[in-house]
Amino acid sequence: MRLLFVSHSFPPAGRLLANIGGMQRVATELDAALHRHPGAELETLALRTSWTWTHVRTPFFLARAYRHIRRHARQEPAPVVLFSSMVTAALAPLLRRRHPALVLAAIVHGRDVTLPAAPYQRLVPRIFAALDAVLPVSRATGAQCAARGMDEEKIHVVPNGIDLARIPPPPDRTAARRALGAAFPEAVLPEGALLLCSVGRQVERKGFAWFVDAVLPRLPTDVHYWLAGDGPERGAIEAAAARHGLAERVRLLGRVSEEALAALYRGADLFVMPNIPVRGDMEGFGVVMLEAGLGGLPVVAARLEGIRDVITEGANGHLVESGDAEAFAAAITRYHGAPQRLASAAARARNHVVQTFGWDAVAQQYVSVLNTIAGASHT
């Protein structure tokens, strides 16, 4: 199958292993996996830029991509075009008018379909009408596509994946804690403490401030919570910690290096994903939960949106109702003072991620779906 992958979210050259956005990492790692796949003759058309300049450069990239795709559409056989998001899929209505037989598909991540802007929401159904298929990263994202007019028969859920070599197997606990202390010397962790961590942009839907305010005060005093990332909710998190006298147990680490992030995943005990519903925003998937599992961290997460497609109960963590502070506290405290239970859960979490979400396995799903779509379009 000839495949043209169109993405506006590649990182600048040399920044693949630096602090790059989640969508940038997904796009580049999927591209690499598709290049490795023997069933895909892949060409990539990508915009390499930092997030700072993405909005400025994307219109020019889309114009160039449109011309490039039109040239390829005249060839035999024409390629299947896979857009990396709804942003690049905005070309679909124009292409459909000029090349009605061209096979067009788009990956949908979540917020790129739910963005609460009226002009954009008027455009979304037009994009869907021009596509042969959408490949949402979760069932929740697929439901949002259907709610905006996408034919359910054209919705094919394919999860995100993770580079299995990115975070090596965690060392023994003593070595992992030592590496954690070296990575974050300013964030002192008492001996024997149970360490929870979260990673991500500190925005309302992530629920970090809610967790500090409602859950952490219910936990034993030797449970600590470290957060990597930044964002507009930082002040709310700090205020919640101060309100309950938890400043010594809550550490805001800010943006961290790739090496420090790996040390956090391997040195913490549990990963927390306490999302809350926010109108117009959603968690389409949550790649950080795959990163955590690869580092040997079981996840305690809200049973909400795309998170439900990442966590399998008892395999790589536990799902509890969003906003249920008692349930979060209970799920966490079952590991307090239970090192053997925690070690068993850590091994299961890593094994589940390796077996289920490696990029080669995910790329196979993409190729299978796209082959089916291409075959159907020619019958």
Side-chain angles (χ1 to χ4, degrees):
M1 174 182 62
R2 289 188 64 209
L3 180 61
L4 178 58
F5 184 47
V6 184
S7 175
H8 76 300
S9 54
F10 271 38
R15 290 199 59 196
L16 181 56
L17 296 179
N19 279 322
I20 63 174
M23 188 177 288
Q24 288 181 319
R25 187 181 296 281
V26 165
T28 50
E29 291 182 352
L30 172 58
D31 179 69
L34 289 172
H35 270 289
R36 291 192 299 268
H37 196 286
E41 181 187 335
L42 182 69
E43 179 186 354
T44 302
L45 186 62
L47 172 64
R48 288 189 175 274
T49 184
S50 67
W51 279 122
T52 303
W53 288 97
T54 296
H55 300 299
V56 175
R57 293 173 176 167
T58 293
F60 300 99
F61 169 74
L62 292 178
R64 177 163 54 91
Y66 176 70
R67 294 191 297 270
H68 186 93
I69 296 168
R70 289 203 62 199
R71 285 197 299 271
H72 279 260
R74 301 186 185 102
Q75 301 174 1
E76 288 292 339
V80 173
V81 181
L82 177 62
F83 299 108
S84 69
S85 71
M86 288 291 285
V87 174
T88 47
L91 294 175
L94 294 173
L95 291 166
R96 180 60 67 212
R97 284 199 294 270
R98 295 296 185 94
H99 303 281
L102 196 60
V103 179
L104 305 173
I107 302 170
V108 185
H109 298 272
R111 184 169 169 79
D112 61 341
V113 73
T114 64
L115 183 70
Y120 183 75
Q121 287 301 317
R122 287 194 292 271
L123 175 63
V124 166
R126 293 179 55 203
I127 296 174
F128 284 157
L131 292 170
D132 296 288
V134 295
L135 293 84
V137 297
S138 65
R139 290 170 295 170
T141 305
Q144 292 295 331
C145 294
R148 288 160 176 79
M150 188 64 189
D151 184 344
E152 292 193 17
E153 292 186 357
K154 296 181 178 181
I155 297 174
H156 307 267
V157 176
V158 179
N160 282 321
I162 188 167
D163 179 359
L164 299 180
R166 189 169 150 226
I167 302 176
D172 65 81
R173 183 171 177 78
T174 300
R177 281 289 215 245
R178 189 182 305 120
L180 181 68
F184 303 102
E186 74 289 349
V188 178
L189 187 67
E191 185 72 25
L194 184 77
L195 179 58
L196 316 176
C197 76
S198 291
V199 175
R201 182 159 168 74
Q202 292 164 3
V203 294
E204 185 182 1
R205 69 177 164 87
K206 294 291 186 180
F208 300 147
W210 170 83
F211 183 83
V212 172
D213 197 40
V215 180
L216 201 56
R218 301 171 186 266
L219 299 175
T221 57
D222 61 345
V223 176
H224 288 241
Y225 185 37
W226 291 9
L227 299 92
D230 56 18
E233 284 283 288
R234 182 185 178 99
I237 297 168
E238 292 173 329
R243 188 159 51 247
H244 296 282
L246 300 171
E248 294 302 312
R249 293 166 56 193
V250 177
R251 299 290 183 186
L252 300 180
L253 306 174
R255 297 186 67 187
V256 302
S257 69
E258 189 79 7
E259 294 75 16
L261 184 60
L264 179 62
Y265 284 135
R266 297 162 76 189
D269 295 302
L270 292 169
F271 189 85
V272 179
M273 195 81 174
N275 286 51
I276 57 177
V278 173
R279 184 178 177 83
D281 203 355
M282 71 175 294
E283 193 71 53
F285 188 80
V287 172
V288 290
M289 292 180 285
L290 301 186
E291 297 173 350
L294 201 58
L297 276 186
V299 180
V300 178
R303 186 181 286 107
L304 187 70
E305 301 164 348
I307 296 170
R308 295 173 295 178
D309 285 9
V310 183
I311 301 303
T312 298
E313 183 64 33
N316 59 333
H318 307 282
L319 291 171
V320 298
E321 294 305 317
S322 176
D324 189 337
E326 290 281 359
F328 266 96
I332 292 166
T333 53
R334 71 193 303 263
Y335 292 102
H336 182 259
Q340 188 54 52
R341 176 181 289 173
L342 192 57
S344 297
R348 289 196 304 272
R350 180 173 172 83
N351 288 338
H352 181 76
V353 170
V354 168
Q355 293 170 13
T356 310
F357 294 106
W359 268 120
D360 286 345
V362 173
Q364 176 58 50
Q365 294 184 56
Y366 273 104
V367 172
S368 296
V369 168
L370 294 172
N371 267 323
T372 299
I373 296 165
S377 71
H378 293 108
T379 57

